[in-house]
Amino acid sequence: MNRFGTLQGLACAAMVGLASAIVAGPAVAGTIYRCESDGVTSYVSKRIRGASCSVATTYRPSRPSRPSAPSTTPGAAAVAAASAPSSAG
């Protein structure tokens, strides 16, 4: 019988979907550590107690750029007005 045809299969599929949604959350700033213990290397976001850990990489998202302010140069408005086509004709 098809496993996803049962209520248990549906619950299992729902749990997998929820887990995927949680994992695919927004990226946040953080540090990744390379920890070694008993010959096993793990890359983790929190140091493991009793293991030898060093920083593998750090991440900080870039700030969104702010919109540029209008020009405050005195002649900028006059140059823009002079280069615009005139409607007088």
Side-chain angles (χ1 to χ4, degrees):
M1 180 174 188
N2 185 358
R3 180 174 181 157
F4 289 102
T6 65
L7 185 59
Q8 182 182 11
L10 183 62
C12 180
M15 287 176 38
V16 169
L18 284 173
S20 298
I22 291 170
V23 170
V28 295
T31 302
I32 300 295
Y33 298 97
R34 179 178 186 249
C35 297
E36 294 184 29
S37 178
D38 298 328
V40 177
T41 302
S42 301
Y43 291 89
V44 295
S45 59
K46 293 183 180 177
R47 293 178 188 231
I48 299 172
R49 183 177 298 184
S52 173
C53 299
S54 61
V55 174
T57 186
T58 57
Y59 172 77
R60 258 187 218 138
S62 61
R63 297 171 125 196
S65 61
R66 296 189 316 187
S68 60
S71 176
T72 57
T73 307
V79 170
S83 64
S86 66
S87 59

